[in-house]
């Protein structure tokens, strides 16, 4: 049986509601959060001000990538005052200024507030330096996945987990087990149900809220003890430890050498690329794709405006510095493979078709379609999705996931957008589409998208039992398997990318390994980053121009990064 909510007292007197808000404003820590009525999403409130005699409230919130109309159906506010939990409802949204820095939401005074004194309504967040490991076992036949505990209450907890796992969870889903372990070795397994999923602040991670459920007579007796210990630790860290009555909690004794700390260090160690400023904007695109993926999984409205902003950014980066952009596309290995794949296909397809006048005029719609072309896989992923499958394809799911994706995208708004969706999303995800029956421009786009998608998939590997392949090997394989029309696009791709494309790893005759950064007019590497000598395991980071290639010998063959554990940064 699920832990039930506490009885709540309703207060609808305007003066008392206003007094409650004024009290919140005087408290240094009130844990104020905003809830979207339409979707149930919750957002942290960085700051708020009571204005116009408490008739209006101005909230500063973090809403990266949020659609402008998300709050049209209204909002609720959650807060805590000691052991009292407050829920403000009946709130009219007056203005949403997403362009402000930071974004602001202006609301009318709430009509009522519900007050609860039950402890499970009070959520305690772990502050800096307090760490606890969560191991999430989604299915009984799968291994647990490491995550980080972010907050805890008697009724549930919030965790931060790798986005690839988080974006596949669904509201109401009961997971096999949730293990919480503290640095001193205290550990327990809890039954839990997913309450909400959203993007975390940390790159490539999701924040997932759970409610605990009682099972097999378990009274969740350890959770109240943990809460008291966490409050003790927070008070001690806040400087109240000068009072000898307040001692640090035993839960967090163990330091950096504890197994929990070591596991969390491994989970939190993200290999961020620092080679080019373009990686930052591409990570922002990945973040918005993550928001889109979660929205699609949960049946929420997709952030269409944000996706077009992503397309604009991608096209601008390509125009600004093509070699740096193509290399940066390869530097997102911390992202879920599915999102990385979509970004790479969108970027390389934009590069390939920009020479075609008809397609270049509609590049924005083409890029949006490519950015989401495989996200339908997320909508239908289920228990049969292989944990090793990098693009989240479920052999037990129907093959019409692209129909759900196109429907979720809503009205195309223009012929170009509609055509791009059909040529890219539908043609890449269905064998039933007769490309020859499409208009000439759309048929050409479909063939170009198919070539780019196949090259990226075969180069990446990890689908089924297929291993990654070097670019030249992929080109040869496709040349003999595709038809004449597709072969023309393959030739164009090879001409633009060369047999050693930007972002590929090459082997030099003297035993060095290097990443290709730039190609010359002859299509051969003209600038490389030397990262390893096969005679010495020490990492290198030496950028060489063609005039200095004699130092490392001749580039003699492509190399597979997977065999050497290398990433292109």
């Amino acid at each position: 049986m699920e832990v039930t909510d506490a009885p709540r007292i309703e207060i609808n007197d305007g003066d008392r509601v206003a007094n409650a808000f004024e009290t919140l404003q005087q408290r240094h820590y009130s844990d104020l959060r905003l809830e979207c009525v339409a979707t149930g999403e919750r957002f942290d409130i960085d700051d708020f001000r009571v204005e116009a005699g408490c008739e209006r409230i101005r909230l500063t919130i973090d809403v990266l990538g949020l659609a402008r109309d998300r709050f049209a159906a209204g909002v609720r506010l959650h807060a805590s005052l000691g052991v009292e939990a407050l829920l403000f409802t009946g709130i009219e949204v007056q203005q949403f200024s997403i362009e402000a820095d930071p974004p602001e939401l202006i609301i009318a005074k709430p009509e009522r507030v519900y007050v609860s004194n039950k402890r499970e309504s009070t959520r305690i967040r772990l502050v800096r330096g307090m760490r606890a490991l969560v191991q999430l076992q989604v299915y009984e036949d799968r291994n647990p996945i490491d995550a980080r505990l972010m907050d805890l209450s008697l009724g549930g907890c919030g965790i931060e987990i790798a986005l690839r796992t988080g974006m596949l969870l669904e509201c109401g889903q009961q997971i096999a087990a949730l293990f919480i372990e503290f640095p001193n070795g205290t550990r327990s397994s809890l039954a839990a149900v997913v309450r909400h999923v959203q993007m975390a602040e940390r790159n490539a991670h999701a924040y997932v809220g759970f409610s605990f459920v009682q099972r097999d007579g378990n009274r969740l007796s350890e959770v109240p003890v943990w809460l008291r210990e966490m409050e003790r630790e927070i008070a001690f860290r806040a400087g109240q430890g000068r009072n000898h009555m307040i001692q640090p909690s035993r839960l967090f004794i163990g330091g950096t050498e504890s197994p929990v700390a070591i596991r969390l260090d491994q989970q939190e160690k993200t290999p961020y690329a620092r080679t080019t400023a373009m990686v930052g904007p591409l990570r922002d695109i990945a973040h918005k794709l993550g928001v889109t993926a979660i929205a699609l999984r949960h049946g929420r409205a997709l952030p269409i405006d944000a996706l077009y902003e992503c397309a604009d950014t991608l096209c601008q980066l390509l125009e600004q510095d093509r070699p740096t952009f193509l290399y940066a596309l390869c530097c997102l290995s911390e992202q879920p493979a599915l999102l990385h794949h979509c970004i790479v296909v969108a970027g390389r397809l934009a590069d390939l078709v920009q020479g075609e006048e008809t397609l270049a005029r509609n590049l924005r719609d083409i890029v949006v379609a490519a950015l989401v072309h495989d996200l339908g896989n997320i909508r239908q992923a289920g228990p049969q999705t292989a944990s090793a499958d990098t693009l989240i394809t479920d052999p037990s799911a129907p093959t019409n996931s692209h129909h759900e994706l196109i429907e979720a995208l809503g009205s195309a708004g223009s012929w170009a957008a509609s055509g791009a969706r059909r040529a890219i999303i539908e043609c890449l995800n269905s064998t039933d589409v007769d490309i020859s029956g499409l208009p000439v421009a759309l048929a050409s786009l479909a063939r170009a998208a198919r070539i780019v998608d196949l090259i990226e998939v075969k180069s990446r590997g990890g689908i089924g039992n297929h291993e990654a392949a070097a670019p030249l090997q992929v080109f040869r394989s496709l040349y003999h398997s595709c038809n004449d029309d597709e072969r023309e696009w393959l030739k164009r791709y090879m001409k633009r990318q060369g047999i050693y494309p930007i972002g590929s790893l090459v082997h030099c005759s003297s035993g060095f390994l290097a990443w290709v950064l730039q190609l010359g007019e002859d299509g051969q590497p003209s600038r490389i980053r030397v990262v390893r000598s096969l005679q010495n395991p020490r990492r290198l980071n030496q950028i060489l121009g063609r005039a200095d290639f004699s130092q490392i010998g001749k580039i003699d063959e492509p190399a597979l990064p997977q065999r050497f554990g290398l990433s292109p940064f």
Side-chain angles (χ1 to χ4, degrees):
M1 181 179 67
E2 186 173 348
V3 176
T4 58
D5 293 334
R8 296 184 297 191
I9 301 172
E10 179 182 350
I11 299 173
N12 53 22
D13 178 81
D15 291 338
R16 294 181 66 186
V17 173
N19 289 338
F21 239 101
E22 289 174 348
T23 303
L24 287 177
Q25 195 170 32
Q26 297 166 5
R27 294 295 182 96
H28 176 68
Y29 180 72
S30 57
D31 194 23
L32 189 61
R33 301 197 86 204
L34 178 76
E35 178 185 354
C36 176
V37 170
T39 66
E41 297 168 284
R42 296 189 183 185
F43 305 91
D44 289 331
I45 296 175
D46 298 330
D47 192 16
F48 73 95
R49 297 197 308 273
V50 177
E51 302 176 343
C54 206
E55 293 300 316
R56 183 177 66 235
I57 302 163
R58 187 182 299 270
L59 307 169
T60 301
I61 54 180
D62 180 7
V63 290
L64 178 64
L66 199 64
R68 181 180 294 277
D69 61 352
R70 183 59 59 87
F71 299 125
V75 298
R76 301 185 187 97
L77 291 173
H78 298 261
S80 62
L81 287 174
V83 296
E84 288 187 334
L86 308 181
L87 172 62
F88 295 89
T89 65
I91 302 173
E92 176 190 355
V93 175
Q94 297 181 342
Q95 184 179 342
F96 180 25
S97 302
I98 197 170
E99 295 84 1
D101 187 16
E104 289 184 336
L105 187 72
I106 300 176
I107 61 175
K109 180 181 70 177
E111 295 179 358
R112 67 191 69 85
V113 58
Y114 295 92
V115 182
S116 170
N117 290 316
K118 196 168 182 180
R119 185 61 180 277
E120 51 256 46
S121 298
T122 302
R123 181 167 54 98
I124 298 180
R125 298 185 187 180
L126 279 71
V127 301
R128 184 182 297 275
M130 293 172 60
R131 306 169 77 195
L133 176 70
V134 171
Q135 289 187 294
L136 186 68
Q137 187 169 1
V138 181
Y139 303 110
E140 292 184 355
D141 60 343
R142 306 284 175 85
N143 293 325
I145 299 168
D146 286 355
R148 179 171 62 167
L149 182 67
M150 303 299 290
D151 53 68
L152 182 69
S153 72
L154 278 183
C157 68
I159 71 170
E160 190 178 77
I161 194 167
L163 180 57
R164 187 196 184 280
T165 298
M167 67 185 184
L168 295 182
L169 296 173
E170 296 183 281
C171 292
Q173 178 180 358
Q174 180 156 351
I175 51 112
L178 187 150
F179 302 90
I180 298 179
E181 183 174 354
F182 293 90
N184 74 334
T186 298
R187 175 182 168 91
S188 185
S189 172
L190 301 166
V193 172
V194 178
R195 290 293 299 273
H196 59 87
V197 182
Q198 60 193 57
M199 290 292 293
E201 293 182 6
R202 193 153 61 104
N203 181 45
H205 285 76
Y207 174 84
V208 185
F210 290 91
S211 61
F212 298 141
V213 296
Q214 292 181 343
R215 186 171 64 187
D216 301 332
N218 177 15
R219 292 181 174 271
L220 307 174
S221 57
E222 60 273 79
V223 179
V225 177
W226 294 348
L227 288 170
R228 288 195 295 270
E229 291 295 318
M230 289 168 65
E231 288 179 326
R232 177 194 299 273
E233 184 72 13
I234 290 173
F236 180 80
R237 289 173 180 267
Q240 299 178 28
R242 288 172 294 186
N243 182 339
H244 295 298
M245 297 296 292
I246 300 179
Q247 299 296 320
S249 167
R250 59 183 178 81
L251 289 179
F252 299 94
I253 297 174
T256 58
E257 301 302 320
S258 70
V260 166
I262 293 173
R263 293 285 290 274
L264 284 172
D265 285 341
Q266 293 172 346
Q267 188 252 342
E268 295 171 7
K269 186 177 181 181
T270 305
Y272 291 154
R274 305 184 186 278
T275 58
T276 168
M278 285 194 180
V279 174
L282 290 179
R283 284 207 184 101
D284 291 340
I285 291 175
H287 184 95
K288 292 175 182 176
L289 276 189
V291 172
T292 304
I294 292 173
L296 186 64
R297 182 70 167 169
H298 293 267
R300 304 171 191 158
L302 303 189
I304 305 299
D305 291 342
L307 290 173
Y308 273 98
E309 291 173 4
C310 290
D312 292 336
T313 299
L314 189 145
C315 293
Q316 290 165 7
L317 295 175
L318 173 60
E319 183 179 1
Q320 177 183 334
D321 188 339
R322 177 178 179 267
T324 304
F325 168 72
L326 292 176
Y327 185 74
L329 285 177
C330 304
C331 298
L332 299 173
S333 58
E334 79 278 359
Q335 300 295 332
L338 177 63
L339 303 188
H340 189 192
H341 166 77
C342 287
I343 294 172
V344 171
V345 169
R348 291 181 180 166
L349 181 60
D351 177 61
L352 180 61
V353 304
Q354 62 181 341
E356 287 286 319
E357 182 179 354
T358 302
L359 300 182
R361 285 200 307 267
N362 301 295
L363 194 58
R364 192 171 186 247
D365 291 307
I366 290 172
V367 171
V368 168
L371 281 172
V372 300
H373 77 276
D374 263 350
L375 294 193
N377 294 354
I378 291 175
R379 187 69 188 92
Q380 296 191 342
Q384 300 305 316
T385 303
S387 57
D389 186 349
T390 59
L391 298 189
I392 314 178
T393 54
D394 189 342
S396 68
T399 58
N400 62 348
S401 60
H402 59 285
H403 291 310
E404 294 189 21
L405 172 59
I406 292 175
E407 182 178 345
L409 287 170
S411 174
S414 68
W415 179 90
S418 175
R421 292 178 187 181
R422 186 177 185 197
I424 297 175
I425 299 174
E426 190 171 348
C427 291
L428 289 185
N429 290 281
S430 175
T431 57
D432 299 332
V433 179
D434 181 11
I435 294 179
S436 63
L438 295 175
V440 174
L442 293 186
S444 181
L445 173 59
R447 295 182 183 104
R450 172 176 163 78
I451 287 298
V452 174
D453 185 71
L454 285 174
I455 290 173
E456 212 287 318
V457 168
K458 289 178 178 293
S459 300
R460 177 182 295 275
I463 311 299
N465 297 319
H466 298 293
E467 295 184 355
L472 186 57
Q473 181 181 353
V474 172
F475 295 158
R476 286 172 174 167
S477 172
L478 288 178
Y479 191 86
H480 294 293
S481 63
C482 63
N483 60 40
D484 291 340
D485 293 325
E486 292 172 340
R487 194 172 293 129
E488 286 302 315
W489 278 112
L490 177 61
K491 290 177 181 177
R492 295 187 196 185
Y493 187 97
M494 293 171 62
K495 184 176 181 180
R496 290 190 65 79
Q497 300 285 345
I499 61 172
Y500 301 119
I502 293 173
S504 64
L505 188 68
V506 293
H507 180 272
C508 303
S509 57
S510 59
F512 286 94
L513 297 173
W515 294 102
V516 177
L517 300 179
Q518 193 168 345
L519 302 178
E521 293 183 358
D522 59 355
Q524 294 295 316
S526 61
R527 194 163 174 261
I528 60 175
R529 180 187 299 276
V530 182
V531 292
R532 173 84 59 90
S533 169
L534 296 181
Q535 283 75 44
N536 189 334
R538 184 170 63 90
R539 294 290 181 95
L540 304 173
N541 187 24
Q542 183 67 42
I543 296 178
L544 300 178
R546 186 175 288 180
D548 301 315
F549 283 6
S550 58
Q551 299 179 29
I552 57 172
K554 181 183 178 182
I555 296 176
D556 55 8
E557 62 179 351
L560 286 177
Q562 295 86 345
R563 294 181 181 175
F564 302 98
L566 294 175
S567 298
F569 44 84

